């Protein structure tokens, strides 16, 4: 009878338990190997290895040579092919891990940029509010002009009172606007 497609298949049990591997540890090891493969010291040591191999199998004692030049150094070719076949997947694994790190870093950068934009917009709103509030505050020049006007009024008041010292000490009970009107009338 056919199995039902709407239910998951039961897992098969194997005779041997599957080894559990730490993916992160394997990734770190592969990255360290891939980093070493991309260094000048690796190129140097690989070159030394190949020179020693070729030198031994070309000029070493005839009975101790294990990879003949007449065969085209087949064993050396196989060794280098084996090294390359392991290096390529390790480099790809390291590149995938780097891509994952770059993706996380890009997401963090995007979030940081959004926070900076929000902070900048907030500060711009606050500065606009301060400008509006400062528009309603008396400035230094305004206060100076008002004080100057008051001093002029006091000086005129002293001139009007003349010799009577008692009148100069008393403030004018009329509002300031009435005093300005009187000065304008007197001047015309």
């Amino acid at each position: 009878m056919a199995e039902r497609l709407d239910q998951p298949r039961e897992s098969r049990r194997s005779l041997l338990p599957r080894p559990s591997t730490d993916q992160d540890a394997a990734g770190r090891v592969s990255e360290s190997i891939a980093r070493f493969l991309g260094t000048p010291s690796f190129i140097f040591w690989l070159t030394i290895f190949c020179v020693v191999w070729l030198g031994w199998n070309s000029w070493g004692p005839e009975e101790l040579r294990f990879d003949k030049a007449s065969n085209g150094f087949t064993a050396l070719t196989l060794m280098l092919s084996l090294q390359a076949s392991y290096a390529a997947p390790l480099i790809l694994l390291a590149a995938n891990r780097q891509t994952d790190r770059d993706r996380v870093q890009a997401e963090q950068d995007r979030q940081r940029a959004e926070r900076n934009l929000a902070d900048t917009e907030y500060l711009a709103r606050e500065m606009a509010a301060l400008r509006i509030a400062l528009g309603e505050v008396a400035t230094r020049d305004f206060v100076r002009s008002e004080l100057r006007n008051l001093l002029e009024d006091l000086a005129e008041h002293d001139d009007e009172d003349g010799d009577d010292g008692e009148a100069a000490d008393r403030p004018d009970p009329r509002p300031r606007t009435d005093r300005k009107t009187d000065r304008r009338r007197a001047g015309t």
Side-chain angles (χ1 to χ4, degrees):
M1 180 171 165
E3 293 184 29
R4 294 185 51 156
L5 297 177
D6 61 342
Q7 294 181 357
R9 183 189 298 182
E10 290 182 23
S11 62
R12 296 180 186 168
R13 293 187 181 223
S14 63
L15 297 175
L16 299 173
R18 288 186 180 172
S20 62
T21 58
D22 182 13
Q23 294 294 324
D24 197 40
R28 283 192 305 269
V29 169
S30 68
E31 280 183 341
S32 65
I33 293 170
R35 269 192 220 107
F36 176 70
L37 291 175
T39 61
S41 70
F42 171 75
I43 301 292
F44 174 77
W45 289 112
L46 184 62
T47 303
I48 296 296
F49 173 77
C50 290
V51 167
V52 168
W53 184 292
L54 292 172
W56 179 262
N57 287 301
S58 296
W59 299 295
E62 187 71 35
E63 62 276 350
L64 295 177
R65 294 181 193 171
F66 54 87
D67 191 15
K68 306 268 191 244
S70 60
N71 292 337
F73 298 107
T74 307
L76 177 63
T77 305
L78 289 174
M79 290 290 292
L80 293 176
S81 296
L82 181 66
Q83 181 269 330
S85 66
Y86 274 100
L90 289 174
I91 291 170
L92 288 174
L93 180 59
N96 288 341
R97 286 176 51 89
Q98 184 62 42
T99 301
D100 292 342
R101 279 194 299 272
D102 291 344
R103 188 178 307 116
V104 168
Q105 184 65 38
E107 178 64 25
Q108 289 173 348
D109 290 345
R110 187 188 62 77
Q111 290 172 352
R112 191 176 304 117
E114 286 177 357
R115 283 192 306 267
N116 288 342
L117 180 62
D119 290 346
T120 303
E121 288 174 350
Y122 171 75
L123 290 174
R125 287 191 302 272
E126 288 297 313
M127 287 182 65
L130 284 174
R131 284 187 185 130
I132 291 169
L134 283 176
E136 299 168 1
V137 173
T139 63
R140 178 181 58 187
D141 295 334
F142 174 76
V143 171
R144 283 183 180 170
S145 68
E146 289 296 311
L147 287 173
R148 197 173 299 120
N149 289 341
L150 286 173
L151 285 174
E152 289 172 2
D153 287 347
L154 287 174
E156 286 178 11
H157 186 65
D158 285 345
D159 290 343
E160 288 175 4
D161 289 342
D163 297 330
D164 188 13
E166 217 174 277
D169 291 340
R170 280 180 283 145
D172 193 350
R174 295 177 294 167
R176 185 167 182 252
T177 55
D178 292 342
R179 285 182 271 154
K180 284 185 179 178
T181 308
D182 290 344
R183 273 196 311 252
R184 278 192 221 118
R185 286 185 194 147
T188 54

